[in-house]
Amino acid sequence: MGIRNTTLFLVLIGLIFIGTTTFGSERHDNFLSKNQIGVRFGAWANQGDDIPDLLVTPDIYFESKVNNTSFYFEGYYAHRILKQLLAEFSIGVANRGSVTIKELGITDFGNLMVYPILISARIYPIASADTRIQPFVSVGGGLYYGRQTVQISNYYFDATYRERSATDWDISLGGGFDWLLGSNLGLEFRSSYHPIHFAKPLLTAKEYDALTVTIGIKYFYKPKQAK
């Protein structure tokens, strides 16, 4: 499982234990009035074009180890608009894998990264103060930024100008549920679909559609009222 995964698993088990032993049967009215801040982590599953492992042309040599499934991490803030509605701002990152490019005697090594920067409406259609499980759906959109980075190069000057990038403005659709652990703490289980269609190819591919499956840890809080 690995040290990092084992640590995350133990942290989640500890949170669940704390929540189930301290939350009892109290009502959850506070959840329906609070903002949220948290992180998500899980899997980024490619639903778009495949990127070749090897491409050789007269001008360029291209070798990649780009994965169809990658680790995904996301941080977010969700502001309470109504009892059933939050406005969420999120920034995520997926490392799709490594890339080596040889061109005009220069060799660059880096990674293929995708950054979703999104604004979404998260809707709790059956929000209730009488249950720990709070299902939701989300719809939104924003900027998807893809970048082939250059981390190591045999070019002795600044090589970052040869990094390649592409952008797309598109939607995001998702759904899942919150599991309330305490008055200020909860877990989130979520799946989202991201249709990503870059106008220009990035490492020969334009379609970067993805499905994410994540678990999250979130903190609920209500800002202090101004005097």
Side-chain angles (χ1 to χ4, degrees), residues 145-179:
Y145 179 64
R147 191 167 188 84
Q148 178 259 312
T149 67
V150 176
Q151 296 173 321
I152 302 174
S153 178
N154 65 352
Y155 187 67
Y156 297 106
F157 299 96
D158 182 12
T160 57
Y161 78 94
R162 289 195 312 281
E163 295 184 343
R164 296 158 171 82
S165 64
T167 58
D168 176 43
W169 293 90
D170 220 315
I171 65 171
S172 173
L173 304 172
F177 64 90
D178 290 347
W179 181 9

Side-chain angles (χ1 to χ4, degrees), residues 19-216:
T20 55
T21 55
T22 62
F23 209 44
S25 58
E26 68 178 82
R27 285 171 57 84
H28 318 307
D29 303 84
N30 48 11
F31 167 78
L32 303 178
S33 62
K34 290 187 175 182
N35 302 331
Q36 303 178 9
I37 188 169
V39 296
R40 306 181 183 105
F41 48 90
W44 173 283
N46 177 48
Q47 305 293 303
D49 296 338
D50 292 327
I51 296 173
D53 296 331
L54 182 66
L55 178 65
V56 181
T57 72
D59 301 318
I60 192 171
Y61 171 91
F62 167 100
E63 184 178 351
S64 74
K65 295 181 180 178
V66 174
N67 305 310
N68 278 325
T69 304
S70 310
F71 180 76
Y72 182 62
F73 179 83
E74 189 173 55
Y76 68 91
Y77 167 74
H79 186 80
R80 180 74 60 175
I81 305 297
L82 300 170
K83 182 176 71 172
Q84 298 90 356
L85 175 65
L86 291 95
E88 177 183 298
F89 173 74
S90 63
I91 300 178
V93 57
N95 185 343
R96 294 286 310 279
S98 63
V99 180
T100 301
I101 294 179
K102 297 181 181 180
E103 186 177 17
L104 301 176
I106 299 173
T107 301
D108 297 329
F109 176 81
N111 292 296
L112 175 60
M113 313 294 292
V114 182
Y115 302 91
I117 304 171
L118 305 172
I119 297 176
S120 304
R122 195 188 320 160
I123 304 166
Y124 292 82
I126 55 174
S128 171
D130 297 318
T131 177
R132 294 186 189 184
I133 304 299
Q134 304 283 349
F136 64 84
V137 295
S138 67
V139 58
L143 176 67
Y144 293 97
Y145 179 64
R147 191 167 188 84
Q148 178 259 312
T149 67
V150 176
Q151 296 173 321
I152 302 174
S153 178
N154 65 352
Y155 187 67
Y156 297 106
F157 299 96
D158 182 12
T160 57
Y161 78 94
R162 289 195 312 281
E163 295 184 343
R164 296 158 171 82
S165 64
T167 58
D168 176 43
W169 293 90
D170 220 315
I171 65 171
S172 173
L173 304 172
F177 64 90
D178 290 347
W179 181 9
L180 309 185
L181 301 179
S183 59
N184 297 103
L185 194 65
L187 297 180
E188 176 188 290
F189 300 85
R190 179 190 186 108
S191 179
S192 299
Y193 177 65
H194 308 276
I196 306 173
H197 311 284
F198 293 137
K200 63 178 182 179
L202 180 61
L203 300 177
T204 75
K206 288 186 177 181
E207 308 297 318
Y208 274 72
D209 305 43
L211 179 69
T212 59
V213 179
T214 57
I215 184 172

